[in-house]
Structure formats: C-alpha cells, structure tokens
Amino acid sequence: MKTILVLHTGGTIAMSEDQTTGKVAPNSENPLLHQGHLFEKDANLVVEDIFQLPSPHMTPREMLLLKQRIEEAILNEGVDGVIVTHGTDTLEETAYFLDITLDHQVPIIMTGAMRSSNEIGSDGLYNFQSAVWVATSEEAKNKGVLVVMNDEIHTSRYVTKTHTTNVATFRTPTFGPIGLIAKNKVLFFQELIEIEKFDIATVDKNVYLLKAFAGMDSTLLEALNTPATDGLVIEALGAGNLPPATLPALRQLLDNNIPIVLVSRCFNGVAQDVYDYAGGGKRLKEMGIIFTNGLTGPKARIKLLVALNATTNHDELEKYF
Ligand code: ASP
C-alpha cells in the first residue's frame, strides 16, 4: 500500500459554519483529522497540520516551508505521494510555486473546499477522497503539482479560481482540465508539453502586480519606482497593450533595471506583441518589457519572484518567460 503525506494548511476545508450567524471560521482542530479511517483501504496516510491559515494569510515564506517539507518527505522518508489541503483563494499560487520549485516524480496534489465541514453539501471530504485517489494513481506521476477539485484534475500552471462560491470554481481557461475523476476512476487525457523547474532557497524579492485599465496613467507605476522594487507584473489590456500615459513611468522603471512582465487581463488566450501604436504590444516589447504566455497575473508574479532568485539578467529572465 502506498504512503501518502498529507499536509493540512487551513482554508475552508478545515473550517466550520456557525449555524446561527452563517459566518465561517477556523476550528481549534481540523475536522479532516477525524476522517482518516475512511481511507484505510486506499493508502497509508501520514498526516501533519503544518499550518492553520486562511489562504489570504499565505505568503511565499509559507510556500517555501511547504516546498522544503515536501522535499524532505520525498528524499528522506520515501513517501509515494503528497496531498496539500489549502484555502481556495490563493491555492493556485501555492500550487504553481510548488510546481516550479519541486523537481520530483511523485504525485503532488492540492485540494480544498468551497463549503466548510458542517455545511450541507460540504465538498471537503469528497475532494480529499479524490485527492487520495489521484495521489495513489501511477498515472499521476511526473505531472508536476496537480489541483484536484470537483471531480477534475488541473495543472497548477493554468488552473484558476473562477467563482467566489460555486463548487465548480477551479477551471483551466483556454486549455481545459487534464483529467477527471469519474466515480472511483482516475482518468487522464492531456499532458503539459514542457515542465519548468527552478532551484530556490529564498523568496525575499519584492515583486508587485498591477492591473491595467482604460485611462491608466503613470501614478501607480511611479509609486513603484523605488530601490525596494525588484520586479513588476502588469495584467495588460487585450493581447498585451497599455494606455500611452503609462509609457514615461514604464521607461523609468526599465531604466532602473526593474524587470516588467506582461500578461493579459483577459480570462482566455495569450499575450502577444502584435499592435504597433503608442502603448501597443510590439512597442512595449521593443522597450524591453517581457511577454509571457498563458499565465495569470498572480502566477506570473510567483514565477518572477522565483526566477529572480536565479538571475536578475534581463535576457535570462526573458528566456525563462
Ligand atoms: N477564504 C478561504 C481561504 O482561502 C476560502 C477557501 O478556503 O476556499 O482560506
């Protein structure tokens, strides 16, 4: 029987609803800790309550600690798979961080819940069961960190939370999930073409994320033009364009060697250097702004944070993206 390390980090999956007020809050003890017996036939679960955090409290520091704990378990404790339970708000950022910093074949699965443990139709235990099945599946090996929720298996690179409350919140725009859980069967039907890995020991860079809007000027960009800023990601308009009033501040940031990475604020599709007008993508790229494809703003920010650990050289950063 396979041994699976389960790392609980908090989130709704570990919370309960106050039946009078409807407010959802953390418990003194994670309710999933009492459900281990349900999976005795599937796996030998080694369970640790590593954090008890709502996921808006998660920072790259906790992500790095998780990475180090998982690495230790794979290298020195011989676990066959890992499950991380996590709040859904920032689950995709932790998943992508682990995906690009852990270089191992064993299945690493992240899951969570949209309804807390005592709500009618609570999805936590169900998602956890799916995560156990995927974590013990031979086919889940060598696929990076996978997000398992609501009977679907997504890559951490492209998955995103799309709904504030619906249990079908995790989606992979443009590409779709790579697998399904159909009753008790785990079925994969797609694969990522290329897997990226970075060796990382620290996460102490300041990387910011801004969203572009019609009429945007230089104010926010100027505020970020300080020696404390190590990098910036902008969710640009459409295929990757910005209002012309942002250009002077963008130039100053680039002159100060602050790397700027551009993604699209569109929910589907990729950013491209197509348009040749003031603020158009072609001109932004010529200025030295780095384009990236398919990543959301929060994930491009994680990638820049991690990549800056390896290099601050513009050309190398561009190659990574
Ligand atoms: N706000 C919660 C969190 O991210 C939502 C959830 O767990 O789904 O911790």
PDB file of all heavy atoms in Angstrom, residues 60-92:
ATOM      1  N   PRO A  60       4.765  33.809   0.297  1.00  0.00           N
ATOM      2  CA  PRO A  60       5.813  32.960  -0.274  1.00  0.00           C
ATOM      3  C   PRO A  60       6.675  32.274   0.801  1.00  0.00           C
ATOM      4  O   PRO A  60       7.251  31.225   0.561  1.00  0.00           O
ATOM      5  CB  PRO A  60       6.633  33.942  -1.109  1.00  0.00           C
ATOM      6  CG  PRO A  60       5.623  34.958  -1.540  1.00  0.00           C
ATOM      7  CD  PRO A  60       4.738  35.138  -0.341  1.00  0.00           C
ATOM      8  N   ARG A  61       6.749  32.854   1.989  1.00  0.00           N
ATOM      9  CA  ARG A  61       7.532  32.228   3.070  1.00  0.00           C
ATOM     10  C   ARG A  61       6.940  30.851   3.434  1.00  0.00           C
ATOM     11  O   ARG A  61       7.646  29.864   3.539  1.00  0.00           O
ATOM     12  CB  ARG A  61       7.527  33.134   4.303  1.00  0.00           C
ATOM     13  CG  ARG A  61       8.802  33.108   5.108  1.00  0.00           C
ATOM     14  CD  ARG A  61       8.634  33.954   6.372  1.00  0.00           C
ATOM     15  NE  ARG A  61       7.701  33.317   7.315  1.00  0.00           N
ATOM     16  CZ  ARG A  61       8.040  32.366   8.157  1.00  0.00           C
ATOM     17  NH1 ARG A  61       9.288  31.942   8.224  1.00  0.00           N
ATOM     18  NH2 ARG A  61       7.144  31.813   8.968  1.00  0.00           N
ATOM     19  N   GLU A  62       5.611  30.800   3.608  1.00  0.00           N
ATOM     20  CA  GLU A  62       4.967  29.501   3.912  1.00  0.00           C
ATOM     21  C   GLU A  62       5.088  28.564   2.710  1.00  0.00           C
ATOM     22  O   GLU A  62       5.235  27.355   2.871  1.00  0.00           O
ATOM     23  CB  GLU A  62       3.483  29.678   4.257  1.00  0.00           C
ATOM     24  CG  GLU A  62       3.202  30.184   5.657  1.00  0.00           C
ATOM     25  CD  GLU A  62       3.363  31.688   5.779  1.00  0.00           C
ATOM     26  OE1 GLU A  62       3.170  32.391   4.762  1.00  0.00           O
ATOM     27  OE2 GLU A  62       3.704  32.159   6.881  1.00  0.00           O
ATOM     28  N   MET A  63       5.029  29.137   1.495  1.00  0.00           N
ATOM     29  CA  MET A  63       5.159  28.289   0.296  1.00  0.00           C
ATOM     30  C   MET A  63       6.524  27.612   0.283  1.00  0.00           C
ATOM     31  O   MET A  63       6.648  26.429  -0.033  1.00  0.00           O
ATOM     32  CB  MET A  63       4.977  29.131  -0.973  1.00  0.00           C
ATOM     33  CG  MET A  63       3.590  29.737  -1.110  1.00  0.00           C
ATOM     34  SD  MET A  63       3.475  30.774  -2.603  1.00  0.00           S
ATOM     35  CE  MET A  63       1.958  31.680  -2.250  1.00  0.00           C
ATOM     36  N   LEU A  64       7.555  28.374   0.654  1.00  0.00           N
ATOM     37  CA  LEU A  64       8.910  27.808   0.677  1.00  0.00           C
ATOM     38  C   LEU A  64       9.028  26.727   1.764  1.00  0.00           C
ATOM     39  O   LEU A  64       9.636  25.674   1.543  1.00  0.00           O
ATOM     40  CB  LEU A  64       9.940  28.924   0.907  1.00  0.00           C
ATOM     41  CG  LEU A  64      11.404  28.516   0.829  1.00  0.00           C
ATOM     42  CD1 LEU A  64      11.772  27.997  -0.557  1.00  0.00           C
ATOM     43  CD2 LEU A  64      12.321  29.707   1.177  1.00  0.00           C
ATOM     44  N   LEU A  65       8.397  26.973   2.939  1.00  0.00           N
ATOM     45  CA  LEU A  65       8.434  25.958   4.008  1.00  0.00           C
ATOM     46  C   LEU A  65       7.743  24.671   3.555  1.00  0.00           C
ATOM     47  O   LEU A  65       8.216  23.562   3.820  1.00  0.00           O
ATOM     48  CB  LEU A  65       7.761  26.495   5.280  1.00  0.00           C
ATOM     49  CG  LEU A  65       8.529  27.584   6.028  1.00  0.00           C
ATOM     50  CD1 LEU A  65       7.683  28.173   7.156  1.00  0.00           C
ATOM     51  CD2 LEU A  65       9.844  27.038   6.588  1.00  0.00           C
ATOM     52  N   LEU A  66       6.625  24.830   2.831  1.00  0.00           N
ATOM     53  CA  LEU A  66       5.914  23.653   2.305  1.00  0.00           C
ATOM     54  C   LEU A  66       6.806  22.883   1.333  1.00  0.00           C
ATOM     55  O   LEU A  66       6.902  21.659   1.390  1.00  0.00           O
ATOM     56  CB  LEU A  66       4.670  24.097   1.535  1.00  0.00           C
ATOM     57  CG  LEU A  66       3.335  24.164   2.248  1.00  0.00           C
ATOM     58  CD1 LEU A  66       2.292  24.703   1.296  1.00  0.00           C
ATOM     59  CD2 LEU A  66       2.921  22.794   2.769  1.00  0.00           C
ATOM     60  N   LYS A  67       7.459  23.632   0.446  1.00  0.00           N
ATOM     61  CA  LYS A  67       8.358  23.018  -0.543  1.00  0.00           C
ATOM     62  C   LYS A  67       9.443  22.217   0.190  1.00  0.00           C
ATOM     63  O   LYS A  67       9.744  21.078  -0.170  1.00  0.00           O
ATOM     64  CB  LYS A  67       8.967  24.115  -1.415  1.00  0.00           C
ATOM     65  CG  LYS A  67       9.968  23.605  -2.424  1.00  0.00           C
ATOM     66  CD  LYS A  67      11.290  24.306  -2.252  1.00  0.00           C
ATOM     67  CE  LYS A  67      12.291  23.907  -3.266  1.00  0.00           C
ATOM     68  NZ  LYS A  67      13.533  23.403  -2.910  1.00  0.00           N
ATOM     69  N   GLN A  68      10.018  22.833   1.230  1.00  0.00           N
ATOM     70  CA  GLN A  68      11.111  22.156   1.940  1.00  0.00           C
ATOM     71  C   GLN A  68      10.609  20.902   2.670  1.00  0.00           C
ATOM     72  O   GLN A  68      11.272  19.868   2.678  1.00  0.00           O
ATOM     73  CB  GLN A  68      11.782  23.129   2.920  1.00  0.00           C
ATOM     74  CG  GLN A  68      12.602  24.183   2.172  1.00  0.00           C
ATOM     75  CD  GLN A  68      12.932  25.422   2.998  1.00  0.00           C
ATOM     76  OE1 GLN A  68      12.313  25.674   4.026  1.00  0.00           O
ATOM     77  NE2 GLN A  68      13.888  26.211   2.517  1.00  0.00           N
ATOM     78  N   ARG A  69       9.399  20.985   3.254  1.00  0.00           N
ATOM     79  CA  ARG A  69       8.841  19.813   3.971  1.00  0.00           C
ATOM     80  C   ARG A  69       8.545  18.671   2.980  1.00  0.00           C
ATOM     81  O   ARG A  69       8.804  17.506   3.259  1.00  0.00           O
ATOM     82  CB  ARG A  69       7.562  20.228   4.716  1.00  0.00           C
ATOM     83  CG  ARG A  69       6.877  19.081   5.430  1.00  0.00           C
ATOM     84  CD  ARG A  69       7.721  18.535   6.578  1.00  0.00           C
ATOM     85  NE  ARG A  69       7.250  17.244   7.073  1.00  0.00           N
ATOM     86  CZ  ARG A  69       7.814  16.069   6.762  1.00  0.00           C
ATOM     87  NH1 ARG A  69       8.871  16.013   5.975  1.00  0.00           N
ATOM     88  NH2 ARG A  69       7.334  14.939   7.260  1.00  0.00           N
ATOM     89  N   ILE A  70       8.029  19.031   1.807  1.00  0.00           N
ATOM     90  CA  ILE A  70       7.696  18.003   0.807  1.00  0.00           C
ATOM     91  C   ILE A  70       8.983  17.355   0.290  1.00  0.00           C
ATOM     92  O   ILE A  70       9.071  16.120   0.153  1.00  0.00           O
ATOM     93  CB  ILE A  70       6.876  18.620  -0.356  1.00  0.00           C
ATOM     94  CG1 ILE A  70       5.501  19.054   0.162  1.00  0.00           C
ATOM     95  CG2 ILE A  70       6.729  17.646  -1.516  1.00  0.00           C
ATOM     96  CD1 ILE A  70       4.685  19.879  -0.824  1.00  0.00           C
ATOM     97  N   GLU A  71       9.991  18.174   0.041  1.00  0.00           N
ATOM     98  CA  GLU A  71      11.274  17.672  -0.451  1.00  0.00           C
ATOM     99  C   GLU A  71      11.885  16.664   0.539  1.00  0.00           C
ATOM    100  O   GLU A  71      12.319  15.588   0.155  1.00  0.00           O
ATOM    101  CB  GLU A  71      12.220  18.856  -0.596  1.00  0.00           C
ATOM    102  CG  GLU A  71      13.402  18.578  -1.467  1.00  0.00           C
ATOM    103  CD  GLU A  71      13.556  19.712  -2.455  1.00  0.00           C
ATOM    104  OE1 GLU A  71      13.890  20.817  -2.000  1.00  0.00           O
ATOM    105  OE2 GLU A  71      13.301  19.489  -3.642  1.00  0.00           O
ATOM    106  N   GLU A  72      11.856  17.046   1.800  1.00  0.00           N
ATOM    107  CA  GLU A  72      12.382  16.190   2.879  1.00  0.00           C
ATOM    108  C   GLU A  72      11.637  14.841   2.892  1.00  0.00           C
ATOM    109  O   GLU A  72      12.233  13.773   2.975  1.00  0.00           O
ATOM    110  CB  GLU A  72      12.171  16.968   4.192  1.00  0.00           C
ATOM    111  CG  GLU A  72      12.260  16.196   5.485  1.00  0.00           C
ATOM    112  CD  GLU A  72      13.696  16.061   5.949  1.00  0.00           C
ATOM    113  OE1 GLU A  72      14.559  16.752   5.375  1.00  0.00           O
ATOM    114  OE2 GLU A  72      13.933  15.244   6.849  1.00  0.00           O
ATOM    115  N   ALA A  73      10.296  14.906   2.766  1.00  0.00           N
ATOM    116  CA  ALA A  73       9.486  13.679   2.824  1.00  0.00           C
ATOM    117  C   ALA A  73       9.775  12.780   1.628  1.00  0.00           C
ATOM    118  O   ALA A  73       9.807  11.558   1.751  1.00  0.00           O
ATOM    119  CB  ALA A  73       8.001  14.041   2.867  1.00  0.00           C
ATOM    120  N   ILE A  74       9.995  13.381   0.461  1.00  0.00           N
ATOM    121  CA  ILE A  74      10.251  12.578  -0.743  1.00  0.00           C
ATOM    122  C   ILE A  74      11.656  11.969  -0.679  1.00  0.00           C
ATOM    123  O   ILE A  74      11.842  10.778  -0.932  1.00  0.00           O
ATOM    124  CB  ILE A  74      10.081  13.427  -2.020  1.00  0.00           C
ATOM    125  CG1 ILE A  74       8.616  13.834  -2.185  1.00  0.00           C
ATOM    126  CG2 ILE A  74      10.554  12.667  -3.257  1.00  0.00           C
ATOM    127  CD1 ILE A  74       8.362  14.837  -3.301  1.00  0.00           C
ATOM    128  N   LEU A  75      12.627  12.798  -0.294  1.00  0.00           N
ATOM    129  CA  LEU A  75      14.030  12.332  -0.341  1.00  0.00           C
ATOM    130  C   LEU A  75      14.379  11.414   0.822  1.00  0.00           C
ATOM    131  O   LEU A  75      15.069  10.419   0.650  1.00  0.00           O
ATOM    132  CB  LEU A  75      14.982  13.533  -0.354  1.00  0.00           C
ATOM    133  CG  LEU A  75      14.910  14.437  -1.585  1.00  0.00           C
ATOM    134  CD1 LEU A  75      15.856  15.601  -1.445  1.00  0.00           C
ATOM    135  CD2 LEU A  75      15.214  13.646  -2.860  1.00  0.00           C
ATOM    136  N   ASN A  76      13.890  11.758   2.036  1.00  0.00           N
ATOM    137  CA  ASN A  76      14.362  11.027   3.222  1.00  0.00           C
ATOM    138  C   ASN A  76      13.333  10.118   3.863  1.00  0.00           C
ATOM    139  O   ASN A  76      13.670   9.285   4.685  1.00  0.00           O
ATOM    140  CB  ASN A  76      14.885  12.015   4.282  1.00  0.00           C
ATOM    141  CG  ASN A  76      16.027  12.836   3.719  1.00  0.00           C
ATOM    142  OD1 ASN A  76      16.756  12.371   2.854  1.00  0.00           O
ATOM    143  ND2 ASN A  76      16.146  14.064   4.187  1.00  0.00           N
ATOM    144  N   GLU A  77      12.057  10.294   3.536  1.00  0.00           N
ATOM    145  CA  GLU A  77      11.045   9.461   4.200  1.00  0.00           C
ATOM    146  C   GLU A  77      10.362   8.525   3.211  1.00  0.00           C
ATOM    147  O   GLU A  77       9.470   7.766   3.575  1.00  0.00           O
ATOM    148  CB  GLU A  77      10.022  10.374   4.908  1.00  0.00           C
ATOM    149  CG  GLU A  77      10.675  11.173   6.034  1.00  0.00           C
ATOM    150  CD  GLU A  77       9.896  12.444   6.393  1.00  0.00           C
ATOM    151  OE1 GLU A  77       8.662  12.460   6.263  1.00  0.00           O
ATOM    152  OE2 GLU A  77      10.548  13.428   6.789  1.00  0.00           O
ATOM    153  N   GLY A  78      10.741   8.631   1.936  1.00  0.00           N
ATOM    154  CA  GLY A  78      10.253   7.686   0.924  1.00  0.00           C
ATOM    155  C   GLY A  78       8.757   7.693   0.693  1.00  0.00           C
ATOM    156  O   GLY A  78       8.175   6.648   0.391  1.00  0.00           O
ATOM    157  N   VAL A  79       8.102   8.856   0.821  1.00  0.00           N
ATOM    158  CA  VAL A  79       6.648   8.846   0.582  1.00  0.00           C
ATOM    159  C   VAL A  79       6.370   8.657  -0.918  1.00  0.00           C
ATOM    160  O   VAL A  79       7.170   9.029  -1.770  1.00  0.00           O
ATOM    161  CB  VAL A  79       5.955  10.132   1.107  1.00  0.00           C
ATOM    162  CG1 VAL A  79       6.139  10.288   2.603  1.00  0.00           C
ATOM    163  CG2 VAL A  79       6.402  11.365   0.355  1.00  0.00           C
ATOM    164  N   ASP A  80       5.205   8.060  -1.211  1.00  0.00           N
ATOM    165  CA  ASP A  80       4.853   7.772  -2.613  1.00  0.00           C
ATOM    166  C   ASP A  80       4.037   8.891  -3.237  1.00  0.00           C
ATOM    167  O   ASP A  80       3.815   8.905  -4.454  1.00  0.00           O
ATOM    168  CB  ASP A  80       4.022   6.488  -2.686  1.00  0.00           C
ATOM    169  CG  ASP A  80       4.775   5.323  -2.093  1.00  0.00           C
ATOM    170  OD1 ASP A  80       5.842   4.990  -2.616  1.00  0.00           O
ATOM    171  OD2 ASP A  80       4.310   4.755  -1.068  1.00  0.00           O
ATOM    172  N   GLY A  81       3.549   9.805  -2.407  1.00  0.00           N
ATOM    173  CA  GLY A  81       2.740  10.903  -2.933  1.00  0.00           C
ATOM    174  C   GLY A  81       2.487  11.905  -1.821  1.00  0.00           C
ATOM    175  O   GLY A  81       2.720  11.608  -0.645  1.00  0.00           O
ATOM    176  N   VAL A  82       2.026  13.088  -2.221  1.00  0.00           N
ATOM    177  CA  VAL A  82       1.779  14.157  -1.236  1.00  0.00           C
ATOM    178  C   VAL A  82       0.434  14.805  -1.554  1.00  0.00           C
ATOM    179  O   VAL A  82       0.108  15.029  -2.727  1.00  0.00           O
ATOM    180  CB  VAL A  82       2.895  15.236  -1.299  1.00  0.00           C
ATOM    181  CG1 VAL A  82       2.630  16.348  -0.283  1.00  0.00           C
ATOM    182  CG2 VAL A  82       4.270  14.618  -1.079  1.00  0.00           C
ATOM    183  N   ILE A  83      -0.335  15.081  -0.501  1.00  0.00           N
ATOM    184  CA  ILE A  83      -1.566  15.875  -0.663  1.00  0.00           C
ATOM    185  C   ILE A  83      -1.423  17.121   0.215  1.00  0.00           C
ATOM    186  O   ILE A  83      -1.060  17.022   1.385  1.00  0.00           O
ATOM    187  CB  ILE A  83      -2.818  15.087  -0.211  1.00  0.00           C
ATOM    188  CG1 ILE A  83      -3.012  13.854  -1.089  1.00  0.00           C
ATOM    189  CG2 ILE A  83      -4.062  15.982  -0.242  1.00  0.00           C
ATOM    190  CD1 ILE A  83      -4.123  12.926  -0.610  1.00  0.00           C
ATOM    191  N   VAL A  84      -1.701  18.283  -0.368  1.00  0.00           N
ATOM    192  CA  VAL A  84      -1.711  19.526   0.409  1.00  0.00           C
ATOM    193  C   VAL A  84      -3.139  20.050   0.389  1.00  0.00           C
ATOM    194  O   VAL A  84      -3.701  20.280  -0.692  1.00  0.00           O
ATOM    195  CB  VAL A  84      -0.764  20.584  -0.212  1.00  0.00           C
ATOM    196  CG1 VAL A  84      -0.815  21.886   0.588  1.00  0.00           C
ATOM    197  CG2 VAL A  84       0.675  20.057  -0.283  1.00  0.00           C
ATOM    198  N   THR A  85      -3.757  20.213   1.569  1.00  0.00           N
ATOM    199  CA  THR A  85      -5.070  20.863   1.600  1.00  0.00           C
ATOM    200  C   THR A  85      -4.835  22.345   1.889  1.00  0.00           C
ATOM    201  O   THR A  85      -3.937  22.706   2.659  1.00  0.00           O
ATOM    202  CB  THR A  85      -6.022  20.250   2.651  1.00  0.00           C
ATOM    203  OG1 THR A  85      -5.545  20.560   3.964  1.00  0.00           O
ATOM    204  CG2 THR A  85      -6.119  18.742   2.486  1.00  0.00           C
ATOM    205  N   HIS A  86      -5.658  23.205   1.271  1.00  0.00           N
ATOM    206  CA  HIS A  86      -5.320  24.638   1.225  1.00  0.00           C
ATOM    207  C   HIS A  86      -6.597  25.431   0.994  1.00  0.00           C
ATOM    208  O   HIS A  86      -7.517  24.954   0.322  1.00  0.00           O
ATOM    209  CB  HIS A  86      -4.368  24.822   0.035  1.00  0.00           C
ATOM    210  CG  HIS A  86      -3.571  26.073  -0.008  1.00  0.00           C
ATOM    211  ND1 HIS A  86      -4.120  27.301  -0.294  1.00  0.00           N
ATOM    212  CD2 HIS A  86      -2.233  26.296   0.161  1.00  0.00           C
ATOM    213  CE1 HIS A  86      -3.155  28.223  -0.293  1.00  0.00           C
ATOM    214  NE2 HIS A  86      -1.989  27.637  -0.012  1.00  0.00           N
ATOM    215  N   GLY A  87      -6.662  26.653   1.503  1.00  0.00           N
ATOM    216  CA  GLY A  87      -7.762  27.546   1.161  1.00  0.00           C
ATOM    217  C   GLY A  87      -7.759  27.804  -0.333  1.00  0.00           C
ATOM    218  O   GLY A  87      -6.694  27.845  -0.962  1.00  0.00           O
ATOM    219  N   THR A  88      -8.941  27.990  -0.904  1.00  0.00           N
ATOM    220  CA  THR A  88      -9.007  28.084  -2.364  1.00  0.00           C
ATOM    221  C   THR A  88      -8.601  29.464  -2.907  1.00  0.00           C
ATOM    222  O   THR A  88      -8.252  29.576  -4.073  1.00  0.00           O
ATOM    223  CB  THR A  88     -10.432  27.765  -2.865  1.00  0.00           C
ATOM    224  OG1 THR A  88     -11.343  28.630  -2.192  1.00  0.00           O
ATOM    225  CG2 THR A  88     -10.792  26.323  -2.609  1.00  0.00           C
ATOM    226  N   ASP A  89      -8.624  30.498  -2.047  1.00  0.00           N
ATOM    227  CA  ASP A  89      -8.354  31.863  -2.544  1.00  0.00           C
ATOM    228  C   ASP A  89      -6.978  31.984  -3.192  1.00  0.00           C
ATOM    229  O   ASP A  89      -6.824  32.631  -4.226  1.00  0.00           O
ATOM    230  CB  ASP A  89      -8.459  32.892  -1.405  1.00  0.00           C
ATOM    231  CG  ASP A  89      -9.881  33.087  -0.920  1.00  0.00           C
ATOM    232  OD1 ASP A  89     -10.807  32.515  -1.519  1.00  0.00           O
ATOM    233  OD2 ASP A  89     -10.058  33.819   0.073  1.00  0.00           O
ATOM    234  N   THR A  90      -5.961  31.422  -2.584  1.00  0.00           N
ATOM    235  CA  THR A  90      -4.600  31.530  -3.142  1.00  0.00           C
ATOM    236  C   THR A  90      -4.015  30.156  -3.469  1.00  0.00           C
ATOM    237  O   THR A  90      -2.810  30.029  -3.677  1.00  0.00           O
ATOM    238  CB  THR A  90      -3.642  32.257  -2.164  1.00  0.00           C
ATOM    239  OG1 THR A  90      -3.523  31.473  -0.972  1.00  0.00           O
ATOM    240  CG2 THR A  90      -4.138  33.645  -1.818  1.00  0.00           C
ATOM    241  N   LEU A  91      -4.896  29.155  -3.523  1.00  0.00           N
ATOM    242  CA  LEU A  91      -4.416  27.785  -3.793  1.00  0.00           C
ATOM    243  C   LEU A  91      -3.593  27.716  -5.075  1.00  0.00           C
ATOM    244  O   LEU A  91      -2.553  27.062  -5.144  1.00  0.00           O
ATOM    245  CB  LEU A  91      -5.626  26.852  -3.857  1.00  0.00           C
ATOM    246  CG  LEU A  91      -5.380  25.354  -3.959  1.00  0.00           C
ATOM    247  CD1 LEU A  91      -6.502  24.583  -3.266  1.00  0.00           C
ATOM    248  CD2 LEU A  91      -5.260  24.872  -5.384  1.00  0.00           C
ATOM    249  N   GLU A  92      -4.046  28.443  -6.096  1.00  0.00           N
ATOM    250  CA  GLU A  92      -3.357  28.344  -7.395  1.00  0.00           C
ATOM    251  C   GLU A  92      -1.943  28.923  -7.325  1.00  0.00           C
ATOM    252  O   GLU A  92      -1.052  28.476  -8.055  1.00  0.00           O
ATOM    253  CB  GLU A  92      -4.159  29.040  -8.488  1.00  0.00           C
ATOM    254  CG  GLU A  92      -4.343  30.510  -8.293  1.00  0.00           C
ATOM    255  CD  GLU A  92      -5.585  31.042  -9.031  1.00  0.00           C
ATOM    256  OE1 GLU A  92      -6.717  30.889  -8.520  1.00  0.00           O
ATOM    257  OE2 GLU A  92      -5.421  31.632 -10.090  1.00  0.00           O
TER     258      GLU A  92
END
